[in-house]
Amino acid sequence: MKERFDFNEIEPKWQKYWAEEGAGNSSADPSKKKFYCLEMFPYPSGKIHMGHVRNYAIGDVIARYKRMQGFNVLHPMGWDAFGMPAENAAIKNNVHPSKWTYENVAFMKQQLDRLGLSYDWDREVTTCNPEYYRWNQWFFLKLLEKGLAYRKTSFVNWCPSCATVLANEQVVDNGCWRCDSVVVQKELEQWFFRITRYAEELLQGCDDLSGWPERVAVMQKNWIGKSEGAEVDFSIEGRPEKLKIFTTRPDTLFGVTFMCIAAAHPLAEILTSDKPALEKVKAQYGKEDDKVGHFTGHYAINPLDNGRAPIYIANFVLMEYGTGAIMSVPAHDQRDFEFAKKYGLPIKTVIQPAVNSQQSDESLTEAFEGEGVLVNSGSFNGMRSKDAKAAIADFVERQGLGKKTINYKLRDWGISRQRYWGTPIPIIYCDKCGAVPVPEKDLPVILPDAVQFSGTGGSPLLNIKEFVNVDCPKCGAPGRRETDTMDTFVDSSWYFVRYCSKRDEGPLNKNNIAYWMPVDQYIGGIEHAVLHLLYSRFFTRCLRDLGITTQSEPFRNLLTQGMVCKETWKCPEHGWLFPEEVSDGRCPQCGKAVDKGRVEKMSKSKKNVIDPDALVKRYGADTMRLFSLFAAPPERDLEWSDQGVEGAYRFLHKIWGLVFRCRQDILRGREIASQNGHSPLIAPLLRKTHRTIKKVTSDIEKDYHFNTAIAAMMELVNEMSSFKSEKDEEKAMFYMAVQNLILMLFPFAPHFAEELWSEIGETRGIYRHAWPEWDEEFAKEEEVELVVQVNGKLRAKLLVPAGLSDEEAKDKALNDAKIKEVTEGKNIKKVIIVKGSLVNIVVAGGV
RNA sequence: GCGAGAGUGGCGGAACUGGCAGACGCGCUGGACUUAGGAUCCAGUGGGGAAACCUGUAGGGGUUCAACUCCCCUCUCUCGCACCA
């Protein structure tokens, strides 16, 4: 055994060993309890970053821990390999997206292996492989059959920089989720997945996601955005058209004093002759600072009381929600109130907060949006607004004036992308037959290799005659192939199902899927709270309805890990600086004092990244894993600290040194321990070891708080460091402590643990060993510190035998010299005893 | 504006169901070993104080024998939603 721990030697050695043993592999086996542990697969952008390291370290600890707990663990990895960066690289560097992608995959795979991650590579998925994406196409055809995929022309989000369409979920603050460019609206014919058919189910399902962070479920609920109300038809004075509005407040129908329609509403063009005014309102569409409107000169008739309501075109009314038209009740809606004040429109109160609070309409300073009692509402007067909602909606429906409606914000998922590097949509257009699906037997529709990237936008597929020109499968006439490709979120919506079967088993093996699904623990960033996680929930339901799985929810437990952050440095003139550029707090270019910026998410642009490769070279994979698990609990942001890494490195060395120095004692202890009839000596180290096992186990089980689990192991090591083993029994005990420590350390620092495991005389790999158990008897303290308070203030600490009765504890406390002094001559009113830990003596008149 | 989460030493972070605030690590201080130390080991380390002791979990109030923990108010930060009718 070497005196110093040499990670360069031992880490590759054990990686090779695990690979040969197939230590990460798994097979479906209904006789065993399964555990599916999954980390979000990466986009192969070139090399891994610290966010990946953290994500995968967390997953690997869980996978290894669960294996030791006896679970049949599925822990796969793959590549989200279609997407824009490959295409951009192709344009920029004249390298084919396929070559670029596969090279990145090879490089990153090697990086992951160097971290000692226990994946089952037999199930590796690469989404740009035809054997994978043919199933995207197959699902597309199935969804088409079920009416869940359809084509329509509509205004869609267009990112000018990416030269492609984006789904609603992919627009963040009116910018592109990938490149931040301002998104514009463009009218295009596109393919959609009818996710809205599952809106209600997806919403309801949010309440069953007990293993998810609540905020993620809340974000999905908000995104689905259900609201219940009614659609009501208003007639237009002197015109044949009807004006259909949606409202969640039918109880305020009698309070309507005007109507508003969106500038893009079909009636807007018809009802106003003043086109410049209409354009003006259009230009202000969606601007939140000001409400702008234009009176059309027409009036709508309230179907309930035949009141006349002027129709306005207003910038704050959204065409994409509800019917694009609203009834305005300024007394009970703040937006309508503001609009009414600006344009001098009447305000009519129809709900009183309390029965006797009369207030004139003119004196209102804001809308009253709460609940109350109806007034000025005909036969509904006196009804509670809560009840009136249903009553008026019912009335409207019975009279044929409208109907009760549920509205969702969720829109169908637009999946067409005008890009090359994605799954071809299996459709052929024929002048006679229309959009004809490619027959299943012709799948996959292979993405052609030989393409030219102009970089000027537009899919290069358009220019490939052999691809585009194809006969109609139905009538045989010359047709034209769809050149749009699928959104890459389609790829990631079912990859976790593909993993259930090995590469040679066929992708949709129902037995495998039934055994492994759902994912027991999913780990990834919060940025997919709506995107990928919502699409996957939708897709899983589609698979369920296709009979492929019986599950509705793909991910039982979700852990959203925090970001990896680091401090930043910034020169007021030259911007972000690398930490090593900054010497004595000055900018290397201009010599000006630099600002120590905030701690921010690692990013190349802020120059605060740490390269995992450099770290592996310097400290090894185990140290890097250990630090990233120790520095913060997994769901919280992690602040990178170079000195903290040193600390983790030191910790491993400390253990190594301990085993190195005491090796003979340990081996002797092992012999003693293996002898029959040996019973362990009850001593502090034994107690500490059992308590550590208990603590580490429960910290992992409860929310995966690895930071405190590692801290507990550190405590144990500290205690072991000062332990002297002279007698055989002590050696046996020390051996027992070392053995358990190594076992517990294994999921965190697996190479290191394997090496020490063999150094203490084991011949079978530790990866097959069971997780240690603790004995509650041994974990008990024999002496405890009894805290004695007087009026809640700490006055003494007494070392007493464990299991003291309340009476004994009280006696001990009251007879303590210090306590006697403090309570001398005072009237003891009460003594509170917390079993085995604390006595609080309450005396009159303070201390 | 609405919703959620958070605020604890010089720093990252601990603290069960209300019961010793600051586990563990980093940093710092002192010491040992050493030609040397940015290695290693040992000790100390919330603040004030010589000490007894006092004080301390964003700020203010409350409940309680006892509050980081529960309740009310205020401030700050982060995230999400944001004219959704």
Side-chain angles (χ1 to χ4, degrees):
Chain A
M1 186 180 185
K2 284 192 180 171
E3 187 174 356
R4 306 280 302 165
F5 138 62
D6 182 359
F7 57 85
N8 273 323
E9 183 189 319
I10 69 173
E11 289 186 352
K13 173 175 127 191
W14 291 105
Q15 282 156 17
K16 188 163 168 264
Y17 171 76
W18 295 325
E20 284 165 2
E21 296 271 306
N25 295 356
S26 46
S27 292
D29 180 351
S31 70
K32 292 185 194 153
K33 52 188 179 171
K34 66 99 183 180
F35 191 90
Y36 188 173
C37 176
L38 183 66
E39 299 109 57
M40 288 182 187
F41 67 166
Y43 179 78
S45 56
K47 40 195 211 164
I48 61 166
H49 54 66
M50 274 304 167
H52 293 129
V53 173
R54 187 179 192 200
N55 190 175
Y56 306 150
I58 292 167
D60 199 52
V61 172
I62 296 171
R64 289 183 187 272
Y65 170 77
K66 290 289 178 183
R67 281 190 201 107
M68 292 175 85
Q69 287 280 16
F71 286 90
N72 187 20
V73 171
L74 175 58
H75 189 216
M77 182 41 77
W79 311 96
D80 188 12
F82 268 140
M84 298 264 318
E87 209 166 328
N88 293 340
I91 294 163
K92 206 170 143 199
N93 307 324
N94 195 30
V95 50
H96 196 279
S98 166
K99 183 171 182 316
W100 185 85
T101 301
Y102 279 105
E103 279 174 7
N104 288 345
V105 164
F107 185 79
M108 289 170 74
K109 186 172 177 182
Q110 161 271 120
Q111 283 188 302
L112 294 186
D113 281 336
R114 188 58 193 85
L115 294 177
L117 302 169
S118 59
Y119 292 125
D120 182 350
W121 286 112
D122 290 349
R123 296 164 189 268
E124 181 180 3
V125 150
T126 309
T127 59
C128 63
N129 186 315
E131 277 314 303
Y132 183 81
Y133 68 67
R134 71 178 294 157
W135 297 100
N136 285 352
Q137 296 171 340
W138 187 81
F139 289 131
F140 180 93
L141 296 179
K142 292 292 157 197
L143 295 187
L144 198 63
E145 279 172 23
K146 286 195 165 275
L148 286 164
Y150 68 98
R151 193 168 60 121
K152 73 169 179 196
T153 302
S154 69
F155 278 94
V156 290
N157 309 300
W158 178 265
C159 172
S161 159
C162 300
T164 189
V165 163
L166 300 172
N168 286 356
E169 289 79 8
Q170 293 154 21
V171 179
V172 181
D173 293 334
N174 206 36
C176 171
W177 71 289
R178 194 178 272 291
C179 70
D180 263 353
S181 309
V182 177
V183 169
V184 297
Q185 295 298 305
K186 199 169 172 175
E187 197 166 23
L188 281 175
E189 188 161 51
Q190 299 280 291
W191 287 96
F192 288 85
F193 283 166
R194 210 180 293 276
I195 189 170
T196 51
R197 190 180 281 178
Y198 291 88
E200 187 60 31
E201 207 200 319
L202 288 166
L203 182 71
Q204 300 279 325
C206 287
D207 292 330
D208 303 327
L209 298 173
S210 55
W212 286 33
E214 201 176 326
R215 61 181 181 138
V216 178
V218 167
M219 280 160 79
Q220 295 216 349
K221 278 189 195 171
N222 289 342
W223 186 263
I224 295 166
K226 177 182 184 175
S227 46
E228 291 180 63
E231 281 178 3
V232 184
D233 293 315
F234 283 60
S235 52
I236 302 170
E237 208 173 61
R239 294 200 62 93
E241 296 93 351
K242 291 268 182 187
L243 182 54
K244 188 189 281 295
I245 59 96
F246 173 71
T247 181
T248 55
R249 294 293 305 271
D251 54 321
T252 64
L253 245 164
F254 286 90
V256 172
T257 58
F258 59 101
M259 311 289 286
C260 289
I261 62 174
H265 194 283
L267 280 174
E269 296 273 351
I270 297 166
L271 295 182
T272 184
S273 48
D274 188 349
K275 300 300 170 204
L278 175 62
E279 286 309 313
K280 241 177 159 173
V281 177
K282 246 184 201 165
Q284 296 293 307
Y285 183 71
K287 293 221 173 118
E288 287 185 33
D289 32 359
D290 198 14
K291 290 189 172 49
V292 186
H294 167 67
F295 178 42
T296 59
H298 291 271
Y299 291 85
I301 303 300
N302 190 327
L304 290 197
D305 61 4
N306 293 319
R308 287 174 93 220
I311 303 172
Y312 278 74
I313 297 165
N315 71 327
F316 70 94
V317 178
L318 306 171
M319 191 59 222
E320 38 308 348
Y321 184 76
T323 61
I326 60 168
M327 63 178 211
S328 290
V329 186
H332 304 294
D333 184 289
Q334 187 59 23
R335 295 156 301 184
D336 297 345
F337 181 84
E338 286 165 23
F339 194 84
K341 282 282 172 193
K342 181 166 173 182
Y343 291 98
L345 293 158
I347 295 169
K348 181 185 173 192
T349 297
V350 290
I351 291 169
Q352 291 287 353
V355 186
N356 291 322
S357 63
Q358 279 295 335
Q359 197 181 14
S360 70
D361 296 332
E362 292 71 40
S363 65
L364 285 172
T365 54
E366 59 177 6
F368 171 69
E369 297 184 333
E371 289 185 1
V373 174
L374 267 67
V375 294
N376 300 325
S377 298
S379 60
F380 297 95
N381 280 345
M383 194 179 265
R384 298 205 58 87
S385 56
K386 207 166 52 181
D387 305 324
K389 268 185 193 170
I392 296 182
D394 281 340
F395 179 78
V396 164
E397 202 166 82
R398 274 201 311 275
Q399 300 292 311
L401 307 169
K403 59 171 204 268
K404 286 189 267 183
T405 315
I406 294 169
N407 237 303
Y408 299 92
K409 283 201 272 179
L410 182 72
R411 299 282 91 131
D412 279 338
W413 174 15
I415 57 136
S416 296
R417 295 291 177 273
Q418 292 68 45
R419 303 294 302 200
Y420 165 71
W421 194 233
T423 305
I425 295 174
I427 288 289
I428 294 163
Y429 297 101
C430 166
D431 287 341
K432 208 171 102 198
C433 311
V436 180
V438 172
E440 268 183 47
K441 65 173 172 49
D442 293 343
L443 296 186
V445 176
I446 303 243
L447 192 62
D449 248 355
V451 288
Q452 288 298 316
F453 296 96
S454 60
T456 55
S459 171
L461 290 176
L462 280 165
N463 304 321
I464 304 174
K465 289 197 198 93
E466 312 82 81
F467 181 75
V468 176
N469 297 331
V470 57
D471 291 343
C472 170
K474 230 177 181 172
C475 71
R480 181 177 54 83
R481 200 185 284 284
E482 168 69 84
T483 54
D484 282 352
T485 54
M486 289 185 208
D487 183 2
T488 57
F489 280 101
V490 175
D491 312 348
S492 53
S493 292
W494 68 282
Y495 77 110
F496 43 88
V497 173
R498 177 66 187 89
Y499 281 143
C500 293
S501 304
K502 299 184 188 192
R503 260 199 306 270
D504 55 6
E505 280 182 324
L508 298 178
N509 180 313
K510 283 186 199 169
N511 290 336
N512 289 335
I513 294 168
Y515 178 70
W516 290 114
M517 284 297 287
V519 173
D520 293 282
Q521 184 63 56
Y522 199 31
I523 310 147
I526 186 80
E527 65 272 18
H528 289 294
V530 176
L531 290 160
H532 160 58
L533 292 170
L534 183 64
Y535 295 143
S536 297
R537 294 183 62 221
F538 160 63
F539 226 86
T540 301
R541 284 168 171 80
C542 294
L543 296 182
R544 178 199 62 196
D545 294 344
L546 289 171
I548 292 164
T549 177
T550 55
Q551 301 291 329
S552 299
E553 290 294 344
F555 313 123
R556 183 170 286 155
N557 296 293
L558 174 69
L559 174 61
T560 50
Q561 106 254 14
M563 298 181 294
V564 182
C565 304
K566 196 172 185 297
E567 86 261 2
T568 52
W569 298 91
K570 200 170 188 180
C571 166
E573 210 161 305
H574 297 96
W576 305 105
L577 299 168
F578 292 108
E580 58 272 20
E581 282 183 293
V582 181
S583 55
D584 355 301
R586 310 224 151 252
C587 171
Q589 289 186 60
C590 62
K592 274 198 191 131
V594 298
D595 303 324
K596 183 166 181 179
R598 301 155 43 116
V599 174
E600 303 215 48
K601 181 181 181 182
M602 281 189 182
S603 77
K604 278 186 205 137
S605 61
K606 296 200 174 104
K607 302 195 172 178
N608 63 341
V609 289
I610 295 278
D611 175 25
D613 268 351
L615 225 81
V616 168
K617 273 200 192 103
R618 180 139 176 220
Y619 296 101
D622 285 333
T623 296
M624 186 157 66
R625 293 169 59 121
L626 198 65
F627 171 72
S628 61
L629 295 162
F630 176 63
E635 71 280 4
R636 280 244 282 265
D637 285 354
L638 180 154
E639 186 181 334
W640 194 264
S641 149
D642 294 333
Q643 278 141 348
V645 179
E646 290 278 352
Y649 193 55
R650 249 195 314 259
F651 173 58
L652 292 180
H653 271 301
K654 194 171 176 175
I655 298 171
W656 186 274
L658 197 61
V659 173
F660 177 78
R661 282 194 309 277
C662 310
R663 192 142 172 268
Q664 291 317 311
D665 290 347
I666 293 167
L667 292 175
R668 172 71 188 148
R670 182 168 188 259
E671 245 174 80
I672 304 293
S674 66
Q675 283 164 13
N676 275 345
H678 164 78
S679 71
L681 194 67
I682 308 299
L685 185 59
L686 183 78
R687 296 184 190 287
K688 185 69 181 175
T689 306
H690 281 265
R691 275 205 309 280
T692 304
I693 297 170
K694 183 177 179 178
K695 170 84 176 144
V696 171
T697 309
S698 65
D699 282 353
I700 295 175
E701 291 288 345
K702 192 194 88 204
D703 303 333
Y704 302 123
H705 278 192
F706 306 126
N707 56 330
T708 49
I710 294 168
M713 290 190 270
M714 287 171 166
E715 280 189 59
L716 176 61
V717 171
N718 290 342
E719 189 151 327
M720 286 163 70
S721 300
S722 52
F723 184 80
K724 298 272 175 295
S725 53
E726 279 153 14
K727 290 189 229 131
D728 272 355
E729 280 170 315
E730 290 166 339
K731 287 176 185 174
M733 198 163 64
F734 190 70
Y735 164 72
M736 181 275 312
V738 169
Q739 185 195 28
N740 284 304
L741 172 69
I742 295 171
L743 286 169
M744 286 187 280
L745 203 56
F746 177 67
F748 302 87
H751 318 84
F752 181 85
E754 280 279 19
E755 183 70 17
L756 284 187
W757 190 243
S758 67
E759 290 292 357
I760 64 166
E762 301 291 340
T763 49
R764 288 178 79 213
I766 199 172
Y767 75 90
R768 320 166 172 268
H769 201 284
W771 183 255
E773 287 176 10
W774 74 93
D775 184 326
E776 203 58 57
E777 274 309 302
F778 295 157
K780 272 186 196 154
E781 291 282 4
E782 66 177 338
E783 278 192 316
V784 292
E785 212 166 36
L786 184 70
V787 172
V788 186
Q789 297 177 334
V790 177
N791 285 359
K793 292 207 179 213
L794 177 69
R795 291 300 167 187
K797 288 183 180 183
L798 311 173
L799 209 54
V800 300
L804 220 55
S805 74
D806 287 0
E807 267 316 298
E808 289 168 313
K810 183 176 165 182
D811 280 354
K812 286 237 186 217
L814 289 172
N815 288 318
D816 179 71
K818 175 75 195 172
I819 298 303
K820 273 185 167 165
E821 190 190 308
V822 181
T823 57
E824 176 109 63
K826 303 262 166 75
N827 177 20
I828 296 177
K829 283 167 48 182
K830 207 192 309 187
V831 177
I832 286 140
I833 297 155
V834 180
K835 191 137 199 74
S837 74
L838 181 140
V839 177
N840 188 10
I841 301 158
V842 185
V843 300
V847 189

